Amino acid sequence: MIEIISVLGPTSVQDLGRFDQYRFGVGTSGAMDDVALRAGNILLGNDENAAGIEIPMTPFKLRFGRSMAFALTGAEVEAEVGGRTIPPWWRSHAQAGDVLNLKTMPRGARCYLAVSGGIDVPVVLGSRSTQFRGEFGGLHGRPLQPGDILPCAEPNPVTGIGELGIEPAEVALARPDAPADDIPVRVVIAGEYDGFDGATQELFWRSSWKITPQSNRYGYRLQGPAVKPIAPIEKRSHGIVPGVIQIPPNGQPIIQMRDAQTSGGYPKIATVIRADLWRVGQARLGGRLRFEQTAYSDALAAEADISAYLDRLRTNVRLIEELRRCR
């Protein structure tokens, strides 16, 4: 088990999310950066859906109740365990009683802590993810607090031995043509795109959108020039998914994120492709996004790039573990 010592912000237990409850009005939840959580679990030999801790703010401290391997992925973070410095995207080992201290987060918005075996909170509606809106999943359906005790499942005994680092997703999946100041986000046009005139569509594409402090796991509220339809669009609430970009009456886009509701009525101008949602999840408050119109075939190719990256991690970790067992 592990004990939370100090925490800042809505830190929570998350796995990859619950995807079979949408018809009942239950959203996905799950890690905002699913690539980072998968990578941490691969490092440890866990099931890739094993629950970890999503840490959006530092400082953060916890104490390990028993000896175990763990991995830090996601945002770049200055961390130490038992007085030893731990690099980001790194598998390490803690002894019983060791304190993990995450000090600052220079880059990115969310760090992920995966542990051998995974965080063993109850499965609720097919997932261990915390659902803040419904107050279920995770640990009592709420953000973690000092004094919380999190149980851990039994680790895979033949993996996760010794320290090991991997190439961060940000490096492996870098866009070589990306602008220096803005995070490029690929999107496909959505249902009400033609309800905006050509000049407004062009304004949407060329603008740099600031992520406001009102942004969270429910949605990212953006600030920029007002994007408004030719005529007011009033729709009955209908199904939406994470990544959908809605335009409310004030013309300031909202990107639906992992804790978003399952339905809404604002017009939809575009949708972030699934392969770039993790990039949005790692965008900091005050950062800027720029949208790029993308074809469906290119969206599929981007997913294939992520699959190839994760396949390389699985292969490399497996080979290293086999070499260590042969010594």
Coordinates of all heavy atoms in Angstrom, one line a residue, residues 238-321:
H238 N -27.5 16.4 -27.5 CA -27.2 15.1 -28.3 C -25.8 14.6 -27.8 O -25.1 15.3 -27.2 CB -27.3 15.4 -29.8 CG -26.4 16.5 -30.2 ND1 -26.7 17.8 -30.1 CD2 -25.2 16.4 -30.8 CE1 -25.7 18.5 -30.6 NE2 -24.8 17.7 -31.0
G239 N -25.5 13.4 -28.3 CA -24.3 12.8 -27.8 C -23.0 13.6 -28.2 O -22.9 14.0 -29.3
I240 N -22.1 13.7 -27.2 CA -20.7 14.3 -27.5 C -19.7 13.4 -26.8 O -20.0 12.6 -25.9 CB -20.6 15.7 -27.0 CG1 -20.9 15.8 -25.5 CG2 -21.5 16.7 -27.8 CD1 -20.7 17.2 -25.0
V241 N -18.5 13.5 -27.3 CA -17.4 12.7 -26.8 C -16.2 13.5 -26.4 O -16.1 14.7 -26.9 CB -17.0 11.6 -27.8 CG1 -18.1 10.6 -28.0 CG2 -16.5 12.2 -29.1
P242 N -15.2 13.1 -25.6 CA -14.0 13.8 -25.4 C -13.3 14.2 -26.7 O -13.2 13.4 -27.7 CB -13.1 12.9 -24.6 CG -14.1 12.0 -23.9 CD -15.3 11.8 -24.8
G243 N -12.9 15.4 -26.8 CA -12.3 16.0 -28.0 C -13.2 16.9 -28.8 O -12.7 17.7 -29.6
V244 N -14.5 16.8 -28.6 CA -15.4 17.7 -29.4 C -15.1 19.1 -29.0 O -15.0 19.4 -27.8 CB -16.9 17.3 -29.1 CG1 -17.8 18.4 -29.5 CG2 -17.2 16.0 -29.8
I245 N -15.1 20.0 -30.0 CA -14.9 21.4 -29.7 C -16.3 22.1 -30.0 O -16.8 22.2 -31.1 CB -13.8 22.0 -30.6 CG1 -12.5 21.3 -30.5 CG2 -13.6 23.5 -30.3 CD1 -11.4 21.7 -31.5
Q246 N -16.9 22.6 -28.9 CA -18.2 23.3 -29.0 C -18.0 24.8 -29.0 O -17.0 25.3 -28.4 CB -19.0 22.9 -27.8 CG -19.5 21.4 -27.8 CD -20.4 21.0 -26.7 OE1 -19.9 21.1 -25.5 NE2 -21.6 20.6 -27.0
I247 N -18.9 25.5 -29.5 CA -18.9 27.0 -29.6 C -20.1 27.5 -28.8 O -21.2 27.4 -29.4 CB -18.9 27.5 -31.0 CG1 -17.7 26.9 -31.8 CG2 -18.8 29.0 -31.0 CD1 -16.4 27.3 -31.3
P248 N -20.0 28.0 -27.6 CA -21.1 28.5 -26.8 C -21.4 29.9 -27.4 O -20.8 30.4 -28.3 CB -20.6 28.6 -25.4 CG -19.1 28.7 -25.6 CD -18.7 28.0 -26.8
P249 N -22.5 30.5 -26.9 CA -22.9 31.8 -27.5 C -21.9 32.9 -27.4 O -21.9 33.8 -28.3 CB -24.1 32.2 -26.6 CG -24.7 30.9 -26.1 CD -23.5 30.0 -25.9
N250 N -20.9 32.9 -26.5 CA -19.9 33.9 -26.5 C -18.8 33.7 -27.5 O -17.9 34.6 -27.6 CB -19.3 34.0 -25.1 CG -18.5 32.8 -24.7 OD1 -18.3 31.9 -25.4 ND2 -17.9 32.8 -23.5
G251 N -18.8 32.6 -28.3 CA -17.9 32.4 -29.4 C -16.5 31.9 -28.9 O -15.6 31.8 -29.8
Q252 N -16.4 31.6 -27.6 CA -15.1 31.1 -27.1 C -15.1 29.6 -27.0 O -15.9 29.0 -26.3 CB -14.8 31.7 -25.8 CG -14.7 33.2 -25.8 CD -13.6 33.8 -26.7 OE1 -12.4 33.5 -26.4 NE2 -14.0 34.5 -27.7
P253 N -14.3 28.9 -27.8 CA -14.4 27.4 -27.9 C -14.2 26.7 -26.6 O -13.4 27.1 -25.7 CB -13.3 27.0 -28.9 CG -13.0 28.3 -29.7 CD -13.3 29.4 -28.7
I254 N -14.8 25.5 -26.4 CA -14.6 24.6 -25.3 C -14.3 23.3 -25.9 O -15.0 22.7 -26.7 CB -15.9 24.5 -24.4 CG1 -16.3 25.9 -23.9 CG2 -15.7 23.6 -23.3 CD1 -17.7 25.8 -23.2
I255 N -13.1 22.7 -25.4 CA -12.8 21.3 -25.8 C -13.2 20.4 -24.7 O -12.8 20.5 -23.6 CB -11.2 21.2 -26.0 CG1 -10.7 22.2 -27.0 CG2 -10.9 19.7 -26.5 CD1 -9.2 22.1 -27.1
Q256 N -14.1 19.5 -25.0 CA -14.6 18.5 -24.0 C -13.4 17.5 -23.7 O -12.8 17.0 -24.6 CB -15.8 17.7 -24.6 CG -17.0 18.6 -24.9 CD -17.5 19.4 -23.7 OE1 -17.5 18.8 -22.6 NE2 -17.9 20.6 -23.8
M257 N -13.2 17.3 -22.4 CA -12.1 16.5 -22.0 C -12.6 15.2 -21.3 O -13.8 14.8 -21.5 CB -11.2 17.3 -21.1 CG -10.5 18.5 -21.8 SD -9.6 18.1 -23.3 CE -8.2 17.3 -22.6
R258 N -11.8 14.5 -20.6 CA -12.1 13.1 -20.2 C -13.3 13.0 -19.2 O -14.0 12.0 -19.1 CB -10.9 12.4 -19.6 CG -9.8 12.2 -20.6 CD -10.2 11.4 -21.8 NE -10.6 10.0 -21.4 CZ -9.8 9.0 -21.4 NH1 -8.5 9.1 -21.8 NH2 -10.2 7.8 -21.1
D259 N -13.6 14.1 -18.4 CA -14.7 14.1 -17.5 C -15.9 14.8 -18.0 O -16.8 15.1 -17.3 CB -14.3 14.7 -16.1 CG -13.6 13.7 -15.2 OD1 -13.6 12.5 -15.5 OD2 -13.0 14.2 -14.2
A260 N -15.9 15.0 -19.4 CA -17.0 15.8 -20.0 C -18.4 15.0 -19.8 O -18.4 13.8 -19.7 CB -16.7 16.0 -21.4
Q261 N -19.4 15.8 -19.9 CA -20.8 15.2 -19.9 C -20.9 14.4 -21.2 O -20.1 14.6 -22.2 CB -21.9 16.2 -19.8 CG -22.0 17.1 -21.0 CD -21.1 18.4 -20.9 OE1 -20.1 18.4 -20.1 NE2 -21.4 19.4 -21.6
T262 N -21.9 13.5 -21.3 CA -22.1 12.7 -22.5 C -23.0 13.3 -23.5 O -23.2 12.8 -24.6 CB -22.7 11.3 -22.1 OG1 -23.9 11.6 -21.4 CG2 -21.7 10.6 -21.2
S263 N -23.6 14.5 -23.2 CA -24.5 15.1 -24.2 C -24.4 16.6 -24.0 O -24.0 17.1 -23.0 CB -25.9 14.7 -24.0 OG -26.4 15.1 -22.8
G264 N -24.8 17.4 -25.1 CA -24.7 18.8 -25.0 C -25.4 19.4 -26.3 O -25.6 18.7 -27.3
G265 N -25.7 20.7 -26.3 CA -26.4 21.3 -27.4 C -25.7 22.4 -28.1 O -26.2 22.8 -29.1
Y266 N -24.5 22.8 -27.6 CA -23.8 23.8 -28.3 C -23.3 23.3 -29.7 O -23.0 22.1 -29.8 CB -22.6 24.3 -27.5 CG -22.8 25.0 -26.3 CD1 -22.0 24.9 -25.2 CD2 -23.9 25.9 -26.1 CE1 -22.2 25.6 -24.0 CE2 -24.1 26.6 -25.0 CZ -23.3 26.4 -23.9 OH -23.5 27.1 -22.7
P267 N -23.3 24.2 -30.7 CA -22.8 23.7 -32.0 C -21.3 23.2 -32.0 O -20.5 23.8 -31.2 CB -22.9 25.0 -32.9 CG -23.0 26.1 -31.9 CD -23.7 25.6 -30.7
K268 N -21.0 22.2 -32.7 CA -19.7 21.6 -32.8 C -19.0 22.0 -34.1 O -19.5 21.8 -35.2 CB -19.8 20.1 -32.8 CG -20.7 19.6 -31.6 CD -20.9 18.0 -31.7 CE -21.6 17.6 -33.0 NZ -23.0 18.1 -33.0
I269 N -17.9 22.7 -33.9 CA -17.1 23.1 -35.1 C -16.1 22.1 -35.5 O -15.7 22.0 -36.7 CB -16.5 24.5 -34.9 CG1 -16.0 25.1 -36.2 CG2 -15.4 24.5 -33.8 CD1 -15.6 26.6 -36.0
A270 N -15.5 21.4 -34.6 CA -14.4 20.4 -34.9 C -14.3 19.5 -33.7 O -14.9 19.6 -32.7 CB -13.1 21.2 -35.2
T271 N -13.5 18.4 -34.0 CA -13.2 17.4 -32.9 C -11.7 17.1 -33.0 O -11.1 16.8 -34.0 CB -14.0 16.1 -33.2 OG1 -15.4 16.5 -33.2 CG2 -13.7 15.1 -32.1
V272 N -11.0 17.2 -31.8 CA -9.6 16.8 -31.7 C -9.5 15.3 -32.0 O -10.3 14.5 -31.5 CB -9.1 17.1 -30.3 CG1 -7.6 16.6 -30.2 CG2 -9.2 18.6 -30.0
I273 N -8.6 14.9 -32.8 CA -8.4 13.5 -33.1 C -7.9 12.8 -31.9 O -7.2 13.4 -31.0 CB -7.4 13.3 -34.3 CG1 -6.0 13.7 -34.0 CG2 -7.9 14.0 -35.6 CD1 -5.0 13.3 -35.0
R274 N -8.2 11.5 -31.7 CA -7.9 10.8 -30.5 C -6.4 10.7 -30.3 O -5.9 10.8 -29.1 CB -8.5 9.4 -30.6 CG -8.3 8.6 -29.3 CD -9.2 7.3 -29.4 NE -8.9 6.4 -30.5 CZ -9.5 5.3 -30.7 NH1 -10.5 4.9 -29.9 NH2 -9.1 4.5 -31.7
A275 N -5.6 10.7 -31.4 CA -4.2 10.6 -31.2 C -3.5 11.9 -30.7 O -2.4 11.9 -30.3 CB -3.5 10.3 -32.6
D276 N -4.3 13.0 -30.6 CA -3.7 14.3 -30.1 C -4.4 14.7 -28.8 O -4.0 15.7 -28.2 CB -3.9 15.4 -31.1 CG -2.7 15.5 -32.1 OD1 -1.8 14.6 -32.0 OD2 -2.7 16.4 -32.9
L277 N -5.3 13.9 -28.3 CA -5.9 14.3 -27.0 C -4.9 14.3 -25.9 O -5.0 15.1 -24.9 CB -7.1 13.3 -26.7 CG -8.5 13.7 -27.2 CD1 -9.5 12.6 -26.8 CD2 -8.9 15.1 -26.6
W278 N -4.0 13.4 -25.9 CA -2.9 13.4 -24.8 C -2.1 14.7 -24.9 O -1.7 15.2 -23.8 CB -2.0 12.2 -25.0 CG -1.1 12.2 -26.1 CD1 -1.4 11.8 -27.4 CD2 0.2 12.7 -26.2 NE1 -0.3 12.0 -28.2 CE2 0.7 12.5 -27.5 CE3 1.1 13.3 -25.2 CZ2 2.0 12.9 -27.9 CZ3 2.4 13.7 -25.6 CH2 2.8 13.5 -26.9
R279 N -1.9 15.3 -26.1 CA -1.2 16.5 -26.2 C -2.0 17.7 -25.5 O -1.4 18.5 -24.8 CB -0.9 16.9 -27.6 CG -0.1 15.9 -28.4 CD 0.2 16.4 -29.8 NE 0.6 15.4 -30.7 CZ 1.9 15.0 -30.8 NH1 2.8 15.7 -30.2 NH2 2.3 14.1 -31.7
V280 N -3.3 17.7 -25.7 CA -4.1 18.7 -25.1 C -4.1 18.4 -23.6 O -4.0 19.4 -22.8 CB -5.6 18.6 -25.6 CG1 -6.4 19.6 -24.9 CG2 -5.6 18.8 -27.1
G281 N -4.1 17.2 -23.1 CA -4.1 16.9 -21.7 C -2.8 17.3 -21.0 O -2.8 17.6 -19.8
Q282 N -1.7 17.5 -21.8 CA -0.5 17.9 -21.2 C -0.2 19.4 -21.4 O 0.8 20.0 -21.1 CB 0.7 17.2 -21.8 CG 0.8 15.7 -21.3 CD 1.1 15.7 -19.8 OE1 1.4 16.7 -19.1 NE2 1.2 14.4 -19.3
A283 N -1.2 20.1 -22.0 CA -1.1 21.6 -22.2 C -1.4 22.3 -20.9 O -2.4 22.0 -20.3 CB -2.0 22.0 -23.3
R284 N -0.6 23.3 -20.5 CA -0.7 23.9 -19.3 C -1.7 25.1 -19.4 O -1.9 25.7 -20.4 CB 0.6 24.5 -18.8 CG 1.7 23.4 -18.6 CD 3.1 23.9 -18.5 NE 3.3 24.6 -17.2 CZ 4.0 24.1 -16.2 NH1 4.5 22.9 -16.4 NH2 4.2 24.7 -15.1
L285 N -2.3 25.5 -18.2 CA -3.1 26.7 -18.2 C -2.3 27.9 -18.6 O -1.1 28.0 -18.2 CB -3.6 26.9 -16.7 CG -4.5 25.8 -16.1 CD1 -5.0 26.2 -14.8 CD2 -5.7 25.5 -17.0
G286 N -2.8 28.7 -19.4 CA -2.1 29.8 -20.0 C -1.3 29.5 -21.3 O -0.9 30.4 -22.0
G287 N -1.2 28.2 -21.6 CA -0.6 27.8 -22.8 C -1.5 28.1 -24.0 O -2.7 28.5 -23.9
R288 N -1.0 27.9 -25.2 CA -1.7 28.2 -26.4 C -1.8 27.0 -27.4 O -0.8 26.3 -27.5 CB -1.1 29.4 -27.1 CG -1.3 30.7 -26.4 CD -0.8 31.9 -27.1 NE -1.2 33.2 -26.4 CZ -2.3 33.8 -26.5 NH1 -3.3 33.3 -27.4 NH2 -2.6 34.9 -25.9
L289 N -2.9 26.9 -28.0 CA -3.2 25.8 -28.9 C -3.5 26.4 -30.3 O -4.0 27.5 -30.4 CB -4.4 25.0 -28.5 CG -4.4 24.4 -27.1 CD1 -5.8 23.6 -26.9 CD2 -3.3 23.5 -26.9
R290 N -3.1 25.7 -31.3 CA -3.5 26.1 -32.7 C -4.0 24.9 -33.4 O -3.4 23.8 -33.4 CB -2.3 26.7 -33.4 CG -2.6 27.3 -34.8 CD -1.4 27.9 -35.4 NE -0.8 29.0 -34.7 CZ -1.2 30.3 -34.8 NH1 -2.2 30.6 -35.6 NH2 -0.6 31.2 -34.0
F291 N -5.2 25.0 -34.0 CA -5.9 23.9 -34.6 C -5.5 23.7 -36.0 O -5.3 24.7 -36.8 CB -7.4 24.0 -34.5 CG -7.9 24.1 -33.1 CD1 -8.5 25.2 -32.6 CD2 -7.7 23.0 -32.2 CE1 -9.0 25.3 -31.3 CE2 -8.1 23.1 -30.9 CZ -8.8 24.2 -30.4
E292 N -5.3 22.4 -36.4 CA -4.9 22.1 -37.8 C -6.0 21.1 -38.4 O -6.2 20.1 -37.8 CB -3.6 21.4 -37.9 CG -2.4 22.2 -37.4 CD -1.1 21.5 -37.4 OE1 -1.1 20.3 -37.8 OE2 0.0 22.1 -37.1
Q293 N -6.6 21.5 -39.5 CA -7.6 20.6 -40.1 C -6.9 19.4 -40.6 O -5.9 19.5 -41.3 CB -8.4 21.3 -41.2 CG -9.5 20.5 -41.7 CD -10.4 21.3 -42.7 OE1 -10.2 22.5 -42.9 NE2 -11.2 20.6 -43.4
T294 N -7.5 18.2 -40.3 CA -6.8 16.9 -40.7 C -7.8 16.0 -41.3 O -9.0 16.0 -40.9 CB -6.3 16.3 -39.4 OG1 -5.4 17.2 -38.8 CG2 -5.6 15.0 -39.7
A295 N -7.4 15.3 -42.3 CA -8.2 14.3 -43.0 C -8.4 13.0 -42.1 O -7.5 12.7 -41.2 CB -7.6 13.9 -44.3
Y296 N -9.4 12.3 -42.3 CA -9.7 11.1 -41.5 C -8.5 10.1 -41.7 O -8.1 9.5 -40.7 CB -11.0 10.5 -41.9 CG -11.4 9.2 -41.2 CD1 -11.7 9.2 -39.8 CD2 -11.4 8.0 -41.8 CE1 -12.0 8.1 -39.1 CE2 -11.7 6.8 -41.2 CZ -12.0 6.9 -39.8 OH -12.4 5.7 -39.1
S297 N -8.0 10.0 -42.9 CA -6.9 9.0 -43.1 C -5.7 9.4 -42.3 O -4.9 8.6 -41.8 CB -6.6 9.0 -44.6 OG -6.3 10.2 -45.1
D298 N -5.4 10.7 -42.2 CA -4.3 11.2 -41.4 C -4.5 11.0 -39.9 O -3.5 10.7 -39.2 CB -4.0 12.7 -41.7 CG -3.5 12.9 -43.1 OD1 -2.9 12.0 -43.7 OD2 -3.8 14.0 -43.7
A299 N -5.7 11.1 -39.5 CA -6.0 10.8 -38.1 C -5.7 9.3 -37.8 O -5.2 9.0 -36.7 CB -7.5 11.1 -37.8
L300 N -6.1 8.4 -38.7 CA -5.8 7.0 -38.5 C -4.3 6.8 -38.5 O -3.8 6.0 -37.7 CB -6.5 6.2 -39.6 CG -8.0 6.1 -39.5 CD1 -8.5 5.3 -40.7 CD2 -8.5 5.6 -38.2
A301 N -3.6 7.5 -39.4 CA -2.1 7.3 -39.4 C -1.5 7.8 -38.1 O -0.5 7.2 -37.6 CB -1.5 8.1 -40.6
A302 N -2.0 8.9 -37.5 CA -1.5 9.4 -36.2 C -1.7 8.3 -35.1 O -0.8 8.2 -34.3 CB -2.2 10.7 -35.9
E303 N -2.8 7.7 -35.1 CA -3.0 6.6 -34.2 C -2.0 5.5 -34.4 O -1.5 4.9 -33.4 CB -4.5 6.1 -34.2 CG -5.5 7.1 -33.7 CD -6.7 6.4 -33.2 OE1 -6.6 5.2 -32.7 OE2 -7.8 7.0 -33.3
A304 N -1.7 5.2 -35.6 CA -0.8 4.1 -35.9 C 0.6 4.5 -35.4 O 1.4 3.6 -34.9 CB -0.7 3.9 -37.4
D305 N 1.0 5.8 -35.4 CA 2.3 6.2 -34.9 C 2.3 6.0 -33.4 O 3.4 5.5 -32.9 CB 2.4 7.7 -35.1 CG 2.7 8.0 -36.6 OD1 3.1 7.1 -37.4 OD2 2.5 9.2 -37.0
I306 N 1.2 6.2 -32.7 CA 1.2 6.0 -31.2 C 1.3 4.5 -31.0 O 2.1 4.0 -30.1 CB -0.1 6.6 -30.6 CG1 0.0 8.1 -30.6 CG2 -0.2 6.0 -29.2 CD1 -1.2 8.8 -30.0
S307 N 0.6 3.7 -31.7 CA 0.7 2.2 -31.6 C 2.1 1.7 -31.8 O 2.6 0.8 -31.1 CB -0.3 1.5 -32.5 OG -1.7 1.8 -32.2
A308 N 2.7 2.3 -32.8 CA 4.1 1.8 -33.1 C 5.1 2.2 -31.9 O 6.0 1.4 -31.6 CB 4.6 2.5 -34.4
Y309 N 4.9 3.4 -31.4 CA 5.7 3.8 -30.2 C 5.5 2.9 -29.1 O 6.5 2.4 -28.4 CB 5.3 5.3 -29.9 CG 5.8 5.7 -28.5 CD1 7.2 5.9 -28.2 CD2 4.9 5.9 -27.4 CE1 7.6 6.3 -27.0 CE2 5.3 6.4 -26.2 CZ 6.7 6.6 -26.0 OH 7.1 7.0 -24.8
L310 N 4.3 2.6 -28.7 CA 4.0 1.6 -27.6 C 4.5 0.2 -27.9 O 5.0 -0.4 -27.0 CB 2.5 1.6 -27.3 CG 1.9 3.0 -26.8 CD1 0.4 2.9 -26.6 CD2 2.6 3.3 -25.4
D311 N 4.4 -0.2 -29.1 CA 5.0 -1.5 -29.5 C 6.5 -1.5 -29.3 O 7.0 -2.6 -28.8 CB 4.6 -1.8 -31.0 CG 3.2 -2.3 -31.2 OD1 2.5 -2.6 -30.2 OD2 2.7 -2.2 -32.4
R312 N 7.2 -0.5 -29.6 CA 8.6 -0.4 -29.4 C 8.9 -0.5 -27.9 O 9.9 -1.2 -27.5 CB 9.2 0.9 -30.0 CG 9.2 1.0 -31.5 CD 10.2 2.0 -32.0 NE 9.9 3.4 -31.4 CZ 9.0 4.2 -32.0 NH1 8.4 3.9 -33.1 NH2 8.8 5.4 -31.5
L313 N 8.1 0.2 -27.1 CA 8.4 0.1 -25.6 C 8.2 -1.3 -25.2 O 9.0 -1.8 -24.4 CB 7.4 1.0 -24.9 CG 7.5 2.5 -25.1 CD1 6.6 3.3 -24.1 CD2 9.0 3.0 -24.9
R314 N 7.1 -2.0 -25.6 CA 6.8 -3.3 -25.1 C 8.0 -4.3 -25.5 O 8.5 -5.1 -24.7 CB 5.5 -3.8 -25.7 CG 4.3 -3.1 -25.3 CD 3.0 -3.7 -25.9 NE 1.9 -2.8 -25.7 CZ 1.4 -2.1 -26.7 NH1 1.9 -2.2 -27.9 NH2 0.3 -1.3 -26.5
T315 N 8.4 -4.1 -26.8 CA 9.5 -5.0 -27.3 C 10.8 -4.7 -26.5 O 11.5 -5.7 -26.1 CB 9.7 -4.7 -28.8 OG1 8.5 -5.1 -29.5 CG2 10.9 -5.6 -29.3
N316 N 11.2 -3.5 -26.3 CA 12.4 -3.1 -25.7 C 12.4 -3.5 -24.2 O 13.4 -4.1 -23.7 CB 12.7 -1.6 -25.8 CG 13.0 -1.2 -27.2 OD1 13.3 -2.0 -28.0 ND2 12.8 0.1 -27.5
V317 N 11.3 -3.3 -23.5 CA 11.2 -3.7 -22.1 C 11.3 -5.2 -22.0 O 12.0 -5.8 -21.1 CB 10.0 -3.2 -21.4 CG1 9.8 -3.8 -20.0 CG2 10.0 -1.6 -21.3
R318 N 10.6 -5.9 -22.9 CA 10.7 -7.4 -22.8 C 12.1 -7.9 -23.1 O 12.6 -8.8 -22.4 CB 9.7 -8.0 -23.8 CG 9.6 -9.5 -23.8 CD 8.6 -10.1 -24.8 NE 9.0 -9.8 -26.1 CZ 8.4 -8.9 -26.9 NH1 7.3 -8.2 -26.5 NH2 8.7 -8.8 -28.2
L319 N 12.8 -7.3 -24.0 CA 14.2 -7.8 -24.3 C 15.1 -7.5 -23.2 O 15.9 -8.4 -22.8 CB 14.7 -7.1 -25.6 CG 14.1 -7.5 -26.9 CD1 14.6 -6.6 -28.0 CD2 14.4 -9.0 -27.2
I320 N 15.0 -6.4 -22.5 CA 15.8 -6.0 -21.4 C 15.6 -7.0 -20.2 O 16.5 -7.5 -19.6 CB 15.6 -4.6 -21.0 CG1 16.2 -3.7 -22.0 CG2 16.3 -4.3 -19.6 CD1 15.9 -2.2 -21.8
E321 N 14.3 -7.3 -20.0 CA 14.0 -8.2 -18.9 C 14.5 -9.6 -19.2 O 15.0 -10.3 -18.3 CB 12.4 -8.3 -18.7 CG 11.8 -7.0 -18.3 CD 12.2 -6.5 -16.9 OE1 12.8 -7.3 -16.2 OE2 11.9 -5.4 -16.6

